[in-house]
Amino acid sequence: MTRIVIALGGNALLKRGEELTAANQRANARIAAEALAPLCAGNDVVITHGNGPQVGLLALKEIAYPGEDAPLDVLGAETEGAIGYMIEQELGNVLPFERPIATLLTMVEVDPEDPAFQDPTKFIGRIYDEAEAMAEAAAKGWTVKPDGKHWRRVVPSPLPMRIFQLNPIKWLLEKGTLVIAAGGGGIPTMYEKGTRRLVGVECVIDKDRATALLALEIGADIFICATDADAVYIDWGEPGQRAIRRATPDAMTAYSFPAGSMGPKVEAARDFAHATGGRAIICALADVPAAVRGEKGTTITNDAEAGEMVFF
């Protein structure tokens, strides 16, 4: 039996340009469930997902109420439950009734000494003009930065160190359960200095990096980043752009990819393949079954021929 970990990109529940309504999220969860159902038959499967738009919406709702804004760890937990519920229900509608499915709220530890805390880079929440942003920063202790012609709040994005719910995830897999976990990169937590007291953190963990760590820790054979791109491209957007079909981790290291989109996916896939000898795949959601067969998407694996890239 093959053990597969799949990271659903943000488009799994919200396509570009769509309004963040329950109906739209439900419809997209149904599409994701139908695309993944063939892979779930006969395999151990763990699904993770993004939550950026959903956290942003909840943060905006908090503004309507006086008092302290809800911390990001709490918003992350809320969205893990809500999104997991939708995916779980839609998978249950297309898989055999006897296949158990479970969603786990998943805490992920980060290092308080991670350099990311000294240079926040992850944009979250609404847009402001400069004066509004500076006023919000002064009032709430935020860090704000320009995002194009607007200003937005930025928070750290530290590396994931440990996934606390690993044992429950493994137990569920051993019982044939399809598991939904580590949504949005997991609920960010850390230990207070010098203590064993766990606390939430105002940061956002990259979903693909957290998923790669999860895949490594549970001994996955295949790690999949399902996104809205059909493959990883060299020179994307240029006349000579080329889609990578297959490559070794070392070959991928020779190229750089956008930090805000494909970069973390390539890094996570590359690190998983290098550490485990397993296959890492980056592909469109609809192409997941074909990509596992090697017919679509980009596969990163140690056994690619002579360390060279193969292009479509």
Side-chain angles (χ1 to χ4, degrees):
M1 182 177 290
T2 303
R3 180 162 289 184
I4 304 171
V5 175
I6 307 167
L8 296 180
N11 64 303
L13 286 179
L14 194 71
K15 291 183 172 59
R16 297 180 190 274
E18 285 186 335
E19 293 185 1
L20 186 57
T21 64
N24 283 340
Q25 293 179 80
R26 171 75 66 183
N28 289 318
R30 187 174 305 120
I31 292 169
E34 291 171 350
L36 298 179
L39 208 62
C40 296
N43 294 312
D44 286 341
V45 176
V46 178
I47 297 172
T48 72
H49 57 81
N51 69 345
Q54 290 82 4
V55 166
L57 179 63
L58 287 178
L60 289 175
K61 288 181 177 179
E62 293 295 329
I63 296 173
Y65 296 91
E68 184 179 277
D69 293 340
L72 289 177
D73 60 315
V74 174
L75 295 179
E78 291 177 5
T79 56
E80 274 196 358
I83 297 171
Y85 157 69
M86 286 190 180
I87 296 172
E88 181 177 331
Q89 192 172 72
E90 294 304 329
L91 280 167
N93 288 335
V94 296
L95 293 176
F97 179 79
E98 60 271 15
R99 180 68 184 270
I101 308 170
T103 300
L104 287 182
L105 297 186
T106 312
M107 294 186 293
V108 176
E109 183 183 6
V110 298
D111 184 354
E113 302 300 322
D114 191 302
F117 287 104
Q118 305 305 315
D119 182 25
T121 58
K122 182 70 173 179
F123 288 104
I124 65 168
R126 57 165 290 195
I127 62 173
Y128 301 92
D129 62 31
E130 183 176 359
E132 289 175 323
M134 294 303 175
E136 289 291 306
K140 299 177 179 178
W142 289 355
T143 300
V144 294
K145 292 183 179 180
D147 183 14
K149 62 181 181 180
H150 301 289
W151 285 70
R152 295 176 71 193
R153 181 187 179 190
V154 288
V155 297
S157 185
L159 294 174
M161 292 176 53
R162 173 170 34 170
I163 297 169
F164 284 101
Q165 280 69 38
L166 275 180
N167 282 337
I169 292 170
K170 292 177 181 177
W171 297 335
L172 287 166
L173 289 173
E174 289 168 3
K175 296 297 183 181
T177 304
L178 192 160
V179 180
I180 302 164
I187 303 165
T189 56
M190 67 171 60
Y191 286 106
E192 289 185 335
K193 189 173 182 178
T195 75
R196 293 295 294 171
R197 184 172 184 269
L198 200 62
V199 295
V201 186
E202 285 292 280
C203 70
V204 174
I205 303 168
D206 180 80
K207 173 258 302 173
D208 296 307
R209 292 189 176 104
T211 306
L213 176 61
L214 174 60
L216 172 65
E217 294 288 349
I218 66 171
D221 303 294
I222 303 175
F223 165 51
I224 302 172
C225 288
T227 182
D228 55 358
D230 63 347
V232 180
Y233 284 77
I234 300 296
D235 298 325
W236 170 254
E238 301 296 328
Q241 69 180 28
R242 294 179 291 169
I244 303 167
R245 180 170 186 172
R246 194 174 182 89
T248 63
D250 288 342
M252 295 297 287
T253 302
Y255 296 89
S256 60
F257 301 91
S261 55
M262 192 57 74
K265 293 175 174 55
V266 170
E267 179 183 316
R270 182 192 67 206
D271 291 350
F272 170 82
H274 179 76
T276 68
R279 280 193 291 157
I281 297 169
I282 301 174
C283 64
L285 174 61
D287 294 340
V288 166
V292 171
R293 297 192 299 268
E295 299 167 3
K296 293 189 175 183
T298 297
T299 296
I300 302 173
T301 173
N302 286 323
D303 62 5
E305 296 178 5
E308 296 181 355
M309 285 187 174
V310 177
F311 296 92
F312 284 99

